[in-house]
Amino acid sequence: MYTDEYFMSLAIREAKKAEEIDEVPIGAVIVVDNKVIASAHNFRETKQRSIAHAELLAIDKACKKIGSWRLEGATLYVTLEPCPMCAGAIVLSRVERVVYGASDPKAGCAGTLMNLLQEDRFNHQAEVVAGVLDQECGNLLSNFFKKIRKQRKVEKQQKNQQ
């Protein structure tokens, strides 16, 4: 039997794929019966699609794989706490459990800003496990944004020298 840390490490591997193509490094993995049925990473910048979040892409792949929109019995592992859009998709697709790494103070809807995943007014709630490999997940994001800021500073300096 695999652990949450093991599956989160796979989500981190997905996040690193995003980073390699200059996407925000967020990765997601969906597991049913201890088997990965789908994985994805962010493609928002590459595809210029606001809905190309790792969670949504993984949910879509998982639904196609099992032939149903209901992901009952599934656990979603994601490196960053889901945003409102992704939290809504998680609820509507009936994901049973969500395990995330880093909290998102700007858009987190699995307990930080609000908790859409456990809102009892919805007809489905998901179990939430927060902070699995949170340091590693958070460092991926922090380092990525430091690199972006540094690149922009260099570009600005080059532009000013012209």
Side-chain angles (χ1 to χ4, degrees), residues 28-100:
V29 173
I30 297 179
V31 175
V32 174
D33 295 330
N34 234 19
K35 293 184 181 104
V36 174
I37 64 166
S39 60
H41 55 273
N42 270 11
F43 266 111
R44 192 167 62 169
E45 295 299 326
T46 304
K47 305 280 186 189
Q48 288 298 299
R49 292 178 48 226
S50 58
I51 63 168
H53 287 205
E55 300 98 315
L56 295 180
L57 297 171
I59 287 169
D60 192 47
K61 286 179 181 179
C63 290
K64 288 176 183 171
K65 173 126 184 169
I66 68 167
S68 175
W69 62 268
R70 290 180 184 90
L71 296 176
E72 294 162 341
T75 298
L76 169 69
Y77 293 87
V78 62
T79 56
L80 182 66
E81 181 180 4
C83 72
M85 175 176 64
C86 293
I90 290 163
V91 169
L92 292 174
S93 62
R94 310 292 196 267
V95 170
E96 183 176 311
R97 190 167 172 261
V98 175
V99 179
Y100 72 85

